[in-house]
Amino acid sequence: MTQHREVVIVGSGPAGLTAAIYTARANLSPVVIEGEPSSTSDQPGGQLMLTTEIENFPGFIDGIMGPELMSNFRSQAERFGANYHTAKVTKIDLSGRPFKIWTSDSKSDEPDYLAESVIVSTGARSLMLDLEDEVRLIGHGLSTCATCDGFFFRDLDIAVVGGGDSAMEEAIFLTKFAKSVTIIHRRKELRASKIMQDRAFANSKIRFQWNSVVTELHGESQLEGVTVTDTVTNQETRLDFSGLFVAIGHVPNTDVFVGQLEMDQNGYIVTRDGTHTNIDGVFACGDAQDHVYRQAITAAGSGCMAAIDVERWLEAKHHPAS
Ligand code: NAP
């Protein structure tokens, strides 16, 4: 049966769950459509569900595990009355209010929700290598975030996959901790900007493994090495690394909003005046609209902003200034 809600939050990472805490405390009884469990990073709880220890989220002196942090966020919002719907949004109609939302649970043509306002917090996912052992080893030597995990690789030999600006940036950052950082790139030329290339070439801790793709990951409970295959000769080589950072790009989880919400050329939602999108009553926060900072704390901060923007917007709609 269709439910009519003041606020529907789509996505349950730090941005969506912070928006849920704030809107729930404002008595707006939000429902969070939290996604469905899957093997990729667009699952309930978002990318932090695929991390292990988080040491840079303020307030946790000794760090906290990613899934535990998200579980705390979730319970905190629930305490104030947020509801959860474990499903994916499959279709959304933002052409007029109330907005119409269908989910993977929809049994008929009727939408599951009519929403006076929507907060989009669907996040982004790192492109991965699609290797068999990736899911098992992520957070155990395999990472997609140098800022988050670099600290754990002090004085170790590690590698970064990718030849773009992200890979250079991650590799340069990682040299602060690691003994050596090998950039594994599938071609002989980098895609990165000249300035980033120059910085990487000038860094004595950075080595390059050219014309190479990672075709196998090794290690039981912790990554111990990789097999790379030469893209020219097809020769396979085993290389020992304690850590592997995949930096081959990110994609925002915004497909379902294409053609309705304004996006940049990479699919990130464009926001103005805080978290407002091009559609009145639709707000966006977290990595779905941020390709620069991409941190749990910045996502949570923007989720708080979206909740305050929604609250003010609903207040103005219900009590317009005469
Ligand atoms: P990107 O520019 O798309 O580069 C992705 C890199 O990963 C490319 O080198 C690509 O190889 C490689 N790659 C892609 N799929 C692969 C696969 N399956 N296996 C192995 N390698 C693969 O992505 P990005 O580096 O994340 O950058 C995204 C955008 O953000 C860019 O516009 C970039 O300039 C910008 N950015 C800027 C900065 C900065 O200025 N400080 C920092 C980060 C990002 P090929 O080269 O062979 O295609």
Side-chain angles (χ1 to χ4, degrees):
M1 213 180 69
T2 304
Q3 292 184 33
H4 197 149
R5 294 278 186 153
E6 288 284 281
V7 187
V8 172
I9 298 170
V10 187
S12 60
L17 293 180
T18 302
I21 292 168
Y22 274 75
T23 50
R25 277 193 89 244
N27 283 336
L28 292 172
S29 307
V31 62
V32 181
I33 305 177
E34 61 179 350
E36 280 176 324
S38 76
S39 58
T40 55
S41 49
D42 58 338
Q43 60 181 307
Q47 298 174 74
L48 290 193
M49 297 303 284
L50 295 174
T51 59
T52 46
E53 197 168 2
I54 299 171
E55 290 190 322
N56 56 5
F57 198 92
F60 298 92
I61 298 165
D62 300 318
I64 183 166
M65 301 303 274
E68 187 186 353
L69 181 63
M70 294 328 296
S71 166
N72 288 353
F73 271 55
R74 197 177 185 281
S75 303
Q76 194 176 351
E78 203 163 28
R79 180 157 83 88
F80 296 113
N83 299 135
Y84 296 95
H85 183 168
T86 310
K88 273 200 160 100
V89 169
T90 50
K91 190 168 115 183
I92 188 161
D93 179 353
L94 303 174
S95 61
R97 288 198 304 271
F99 305 119
K100 300 187 188 71
I101 301 171
W102 290 261
T103 73
S104 42
D105 283 343
S106 301
K107 300 265 182 310
S108 68
D109 290 344
E110 294 300 309
D112 290 348
Y113 296 97
L114 296 177
E116 293 303 318
S117 64
V118 172
I119 295 178
V120 178
S121 48
T122 44
R125 59 187 187 279
S126 300
L127 290 174
M128 298 300 286
L129 301 168
D130 286 335
L131 296 174
E132 206 182 325
D133 294 317
E134 227 163 31
V135 174
R136 187 171 58 81
L137 288 170
I138 193 109
H140 301 276
L142 180 66
S143 171
T144 55
C145 177
T147 320
C148 317
D149 298 332
F151 185 79
F152 301 117
F153 296 91
R154 274 188 188 283
D155 297 322
L156 295 171
D157 295 311
I158 61 175
V160 172
V161 184
D165 280 330
S166 293
M168 297 311 113
E169 198 170 65
E170 303 268 272
I172 293 162
F173 177 79
L174 289 166
T175 59
K176 290 185 191 175
F177 311 101
K179 187 170 17 152
S180 75
V181 179
T182 301
I183 294 176
I184 302 172
H185 183 39
R186 62 185 178 184
R187 295 186 292 135
K188 183 81 177 80
E189 295 84 36
L190 296 171
R191 179 178 296 280
S193 54
K194 176 86 172 58
I195 183 163
M196 295 298 281
Q197 291 195 26
D198 289 348
R199 280 183 202 161
F201 288 137
N203 192 312
S204 60
K205 281 191 177 177
I206 294 182
R207 304 163 186 170
F208 289 87
Q209 178 79 30
W210 299 111
N211 295 327
S212 298
V213 284
V214 176
T215 45
E216 209 177 331
L217 304 175
H218 303 288
E220 281 305 314
S221 55
Q222 191 71 22
L223 183 98
E224 289 168 6
V226 303
T227 294
V228 292
T229 303
D230 191 298
T231 52
V232 180
T233 63
N234 264 339
Q235 190 184 327
E236 294 188 344
T237 310
R238 158 114 193 205
L239 302 170
D240 290 339
F241 295 118
S242 304
L244 183 72
F245 287 78
V246 179
I248 60 174
H250 287 84
V251 265
N253 301 317
T254 54
D255 289 0
V256 80
F257 307 101
V258 166
Q260 302 189 77
L261 292 183
E262 186 185 341
M263 295 175 189
D264 68 13
Q265 76 268 27
N266 295 319
Y268 288 91
I269 297 168
V270 174
T271 49
R272 297 188 183 82
D273 297 332
T275 62
H276 293 253
T277 69
N278 60 309
I279 295 181
D280 204 26
V282 181
F283 302 81
C285 51
D287 287 12
Q289 52 85 58
D290 167 30
H291 55 86
V292 178
Y293 301 103
R294 291 191 193 127
Q295 299 300 299
I297 187 68
T298 51
S302 75
C304 163
M305 289 164 63
I308 291 172
D309 287 343
V310 160
E311 202 184 334
R312 289 182 182 160
W313 183 85
L314 286 169
E315 179 69 17
K317 190 163 79 78
H318 292 319
H319 304 288
S322 49

